[in-house]
Amino acid sequence: MRKYRFVQVDVFTNRPFGGNQLAVFPEAEGIADTEMQAIAREMNFSETTFVLPPTDPDHDARVRIFTPGQELPMAGHPTVGTGFVLGAERGRADPGV
């Protein structure tokens, strides 16, 4: 059985269980497209993000965003929340903010 770590965050709030919930898979390499969709459906949050290695060497990461029903090309709160998680994990942000 493969295991993938995820982080659940509440975006646009300063308290737990407020704001917009988001699941972030910061190391999603190896998860197939169909699995990403199934995971998003299972999480049942408005969006779930999967962080992959960048395809452009000038970027730090590539992020895919899924709702329970489809992949999105872009969305606000998942982008902000994923950036927060990556910044905190990579020492580029204060996770207590």
Side-chain angles (χ1 to χ4, degrees), residues 2 4 6 11 21-22 25-26 29-30 37 44-45 47 49 52 54-55 58 60 63 65 75 77 81-83 95-96:
R2 296 177 300 158
Y4 292 94
F6 73 93
V11 183
Q21 62 196 117
L22 174 69
F25 286 76
E29 194 169 13
Q37 186 62 69
N44 203 29
F45 293 166
E47 287 96 9
T49 62
L52 301 158
T55 55
D58 291 334
D60 290 335
V63 178
I65 303 168
H77 102 268
T82 301

Side-chain angles (χ1 to χ4, degrees), residues 77-93:
H77 102 268
T79 301
V80 170
T82 301
F84 175 81
V85 169
L86 293 179
E89 289 194 353
R90 297 176 182 183
R92 297 180 185 168

Side-chain angles (χ1 to χ4, degrees), residues 9-88:
V9 293
D10 294 307
V11 183
F12 301 133
T13 187
N14 61 356
R15 63 181 174 79
F17 311 115
N20 296 56
Q21 62 196 117
L22 174 69
V24 178
F25 286 76
E27 297 150 352
E29 194 169 13
I31 303 176
D33 296 359
T34 56
E35 293 174 311
M36 290 181 194
Q37 186 62 69
I39 290 167
R41 192 171 24 261
E42 177 76 15
M43 298 303 286
N44 203 29
F45 293 166
S46 58
E47 287 96 9
T48 299
T49 62
F50 299 89
V51 181
L52 301 158
T55 55
D56 182 330
D58 291 334
H59 298 162
D60 290 335
R62 180 169 57 106
V63 178
R64 295 182 68 185
I65 303 168
F66 286 80
T67 71
Q70 66 183 351
E71 184 172 8
L72 301 178
M74 168 54 179
H77 102 268
T79 301
V80 170
T82 301
F84 175 81
V85 169
L86 293 179

